[in-house]
Amino acid sequence: MAFSSLKEIMEYGEKSGLPFWEAVLLDDMEERNVSREASLEQMRYTWNAMLEASSSYEPKRKSASALTGGQGKQMEAYCEMYPPICGPFMGRVITEALKTAESNACMKRIVAAPTAGASGVLPAVLIPYYETCGTSEGTVLEAMYTAAGIGQVIALRASISGAAGGCQAEIGSASAMAAGALVHLRGGSALQISHAAAMALKNLLGLVCDPVAGLVEIPCVKRNVIGAVNAISSADMALAGIESRIPPDQVIDAMRAVGDKMDSTLKETGMGGLAATPAGMEIVQKLQRG
Amino acid sequence: MHIFDILGPVMVGPSSSHTAGAVRIGYAAYKLLQEEPKEAEIYLHGSFAATGTGHGTDRGLIAGLLGMQPDDNRIPDSFQIAEKEGLSFSFAEKEIKAAHPNTALLCLTGKSGRKAEIQAASVGGGRILIQKLDGVELNVSLEKPTLIVHNLDRPGCVAKVAELLSDRKINIASMQLYRMSRNGTAIMALETDQPISEEAIHSLAHTDGILKVTFISMNT
Ligand code: SF4
């Protein structure tokens, strides 16, 4: 049975002496009736698909609407030319988030994490960390179990779908997952993992889903950037010992409540928010004219 | 949801419902036709009609009909591949009464002349539901290996199928029955825990009262 709260994962860990990620792994073995090796193998396949999505990025490729493409490259070039304000590591994070999110919009292969729209967030923190901070593949896989465990609890208690809960449920959830993964990479505790996830989710609470013309492009691509950047700041706060004053599971429940109250025009219908701006409507008309 | 529904699927973008789900609908339709399609008339309803082109829903459906899975890098080029493989297709918008917003209706003709009509919805995260098959309303997710049996709607057919499977030690996880009208045709949809052998499918197909047997496993 999947865990129904972050608290449950932590309590399980306290009782068994196992870290957060391993509780999630054992649960997967039980739920899908697979061996430890089979589960790890599937996670490795998922990780490799993330790496491949990044390395096969095509800067010249455009989406079907021609609205998306090339900004990952643009950011990369900028970071090479000038030291970015946020520092070189964050520069890479922004670049990776743009690359994967653009690849998704351009019909390339990505890993939905937890959705295709938010697919850039997790690789944007994992790939630069893996490549610059000397972490082993094994530790990255552990971080991915950590992320998946957080996502599973959110999916169960709230939602991971923009149509059901707004963008807080997609980019917000992805950010919470990435924050937890980072804390694991840094050797943080299960408690710190939960609080990093909680803070990441809190900071994006209320975010609406308002894709222009209903396409997973505007504002989705750039929202992957804030999801990733927010994950890093939340992980750093948690590692500093800062906690969310609202308990993590209650933050998730609040996300659900906010999603339930959100107007349907702000839940993936392409009728509210940025989609309903004059510029957004103009794009719709242009696409209809073909 | 298991963890690889959260970290996954590995898929061609941009949308799990409008792209990955569309590929799976096409793939399911191809399996239900039981041969390579030669002609496909496709109708898109609701959000599939409104934003389908921008999401590659059309390319996804064709890719699935060509036997591709949602992670196939050739999905964006499926129209060209269809042309090479001799699949002609058309798309039109259609209001389908009381249908899920992400619905497609596929009218297929196979290379040997078989026909199939499939209405299916993409219900989120790449998951699909087959809602109508050859005019019979049903509700099949194909999450598990599924046996679909067209039979004459008369007593004894269900028992025969169940017996034949139990003789072969195949466990039935769930079973649904649908009928078009009394004494007409009916469809059985059975989810099984074990794969079903060619031999079992063959025996079933030659059982009295059974018109057609299709076994679908979405991952192969
Ligand atoms: S705006 Fe909507 S479609 Fe875009 S990433 Fe956010 S939830 Fe997904």
Side-chain angles (χ1 to χ4, degrees):
Chain A
M1 254 311 282
F3 295 106
S4 60
S5 66
L6 293 175
K7 194 158 163 242
E8 220 178 278
I9 303 183
M10 274 188 305
E11 282 170 357
Y12 180 89
E14 272 159 30
K15 253 192 265 141
S16 61
L18 294 174
F20 190 108
W21 74 270
E22 209 163 354
V24 179
L25 166 68
L26 290 181
D27 187 61
D28 179 50
M29 288 162 57
E30 198 184 306
E31 198 182 329
R32 294 190 302 127
N33 195 18
V34 294
S35 68
R36 188 182 177 94
E37 288 67 39
S39 178
L40 280 162
E41 194 44 53
Q42 174 91 18
M43 195 57 93
R44 188 171 299 119
Y45 163 77
T46 306
W47 167 234
N48 283 328
M50 280 185 185
L51 285 172
E52 199 191 301
S54 163
S55 63
S56 69
Y57 175 72
E58 293 169 66
K60 293 224 166 68
R61 190 142 159 170
K62 290 272 178 215
S63 63
S65 68
L67 295 165
T68 299
Q71 290 173 341
K73 174 81 200 160
Q74 214 175 330
M75 188 67 203
E76 190 168 53
Y78 162 77
C79 291
E80 275 162 15
M81 204 101 100
Y82 314 95
I85 301 167
C86 57
F89 181 78
M90 205 65 113
R92 284 226 37 203
V93 168
I94 298 172
T95 303
E96 287 297 339
L98 290 171
K99 280 186 179 178
T100 299
E102 284 182 322
S103 291
N104 176 59
C106 297
M107 289 190 86
K108 296 199 62 167
R109 183 161 60 196
I110 51 84
V111 180
T115 61
S119 60
V121 176
L122 195 58
V125 305
L126 291 180
I127 294 174
Y129 197 92
Y130 175 67
E131 288 179 352
T132 61
C133 300
T135 305
S136 70
E137 183 192 66
T139 312
V140 172
L141 300 187
E142 293 169 12
M144 289 173 72
Y145 279 99
T146 307
I150 295 166
Q152 222 175 1
V153 171
I154 297 177
L156 196 82
R157 294 182 83 95
S159 160
I160 54 166
S161 137
C167 201
Q168 56 169 4
E170 287 201 12
I171 296 290
S173 301
S175 191
M177 290 161 62
L182 281 165
V183 170
H184 175 77
L185 289 175
R186 278 286 167 125
S189 67
L191 188 72
Q192 289 172 323
I193 288 170
S194 314
H195 280 282
M199 287 188 278
L201 195 57
K202 273 162 81 176
N203 296 346
L204 294 172
L205 210 64
L207 193 63
V208 301
C209 171
D210 49 356
V212 170
L215 301 175
V216 193
E217 302 190 40
I218 306 168
C220 316
V221 170
K222 286 162 199 145
R223 283 209 182 134
N224 278 269
V225 174
I226 191 56
V229 170
N230 176 54
I232 292 172
S233 52
S234 301
D236 267 335
M237 282 193 281
L239 287 161
I242 298 171
E243 294 193 349
S244 165
R245 294 275 188 223
I246 307 296
D249 290 311
Q250 292 183 29
V251 172
I252 298 173
D253 295 345
M255 190 268 266
R256 185 199 177 110
V258 170
D260 286 347
K261 287 212 170 80
M262 219 177 255
D263 193 74
S264 77
T265 56
L266 301 171
K267 288 197 272 196
E268 215 181 278
T269 47
M271 282 162 27
L274 294 168
T277 55
M281 300 307 292
E282 217 172 280
I283 290 173
V284 173
Q285 275 162 10
K286 233 190 238 157
L287 290 175
Q288 275 166 355
R289 282 198 300 268
Chain B
M1 270 198 231
H2 66 71
I3 56 170
F4 295 104
D5 289 328
I6 303 287
L7 289 188
V10 176
M11 55 166 276
V12 163
S15 157
S16 56
S17 55
H18 286 66
T19 323
V23 178
R24 294 191 81 222
I25 288 175
Y27 187 78
Y30 156 62
K31 288 269 170 151
L32 286 165
L33 180 66
Q34 294 181 299
E35 66 173 347
E36 285 176 27
K38 175 179 78 185
E39 266 168 47
E41 261 173 59
I42 302 176
Y43 300 92
L44 302 176
H45 162 85
S47 171
F48 264 18
T51 67
T53 311
H55 281 128
T57 304
D58 45 6
R59 287 164 200 276
L61 287 165
I62 298 299
L65 285 175
L66 294 168
M68 293 183 212
Q69 297 274 9
D71 65 348
D72 198 308
N73 270 323
R74 299 169 302 165
I75 292 167
D77 307 319
S78 66
F79 285 2
Q80 291 90 309
I81 298 171
E83 203 186 317
K84 264 191 232 132
E85 304 209 344
L87 164 63
S88 65
F89 57 87
S90 64
F91 283 96
E93 290 183 16
K94 185 183 172 116
E95 271 289 320
I96 303 174
K97 253 214 305 235
H100 183 282
N102 300 330
T103 293
L105 169 67
L106 299 93
C107 306
L108 307 177
T109 309
K111 293 220 158 124
S112 79
R114 280 177 196 262
K115 296 213 180 253
E117 205 180 297
I118 296 110
Q119 182 183 317
S122 175
V123 294
R127 286 181 298 277
I128 65 170
L129 277 180
I130 308 292
Q131 301 193 301
K132 226 175 191 185
L133 176 60
D134 300 329
V136 179
E137 274 183 42
L138 37 71
N139 226 324
V140 178
S141 74
L142 302 176
E143 290 290 316
K144 287 195 172 171
T146 303
L147 189 68
I148 295 189
V149 181
H150 288 61
N151 58 287
L152 293 174
D153 189 12
R154 64 184 193 207
C157 279
V158 174
K160 276 188 212 156
V161 173
E163 191 186 308
L164 199 139
L165 291 178
S166 92
D167 282 351
R168 286 164 181 74
K169 306 235 169 336
I170 293 165
N171 194 36
I172 300 172
S174 79
M175 181 173 201
Q176 299 176 61
L177 304 171
Y178 308 93
R179 54 174 28 157
M180 199 126 105
S181 61
R182 221 163 249 291
N183 292 324
T185 37
I187 292 182
M188 274 178 246
L190 302 100
E191 292 185 329
T192 62
D193 288 335
Q194 289 84 19
I196 299 179
S197 67
E198 288 286 333
E199 178 275 328
I201 294 171
H202 189 83
S203 306
L204 265 179
H206 289 83
T207 302
D208 224 21
I210 306 287
L211 305 172
K212 188 164 103 178
V213 180
T214 318
F215 179 63
I216 302 183
S217 169
M218 285 295 277
N219 300 318
T220 48

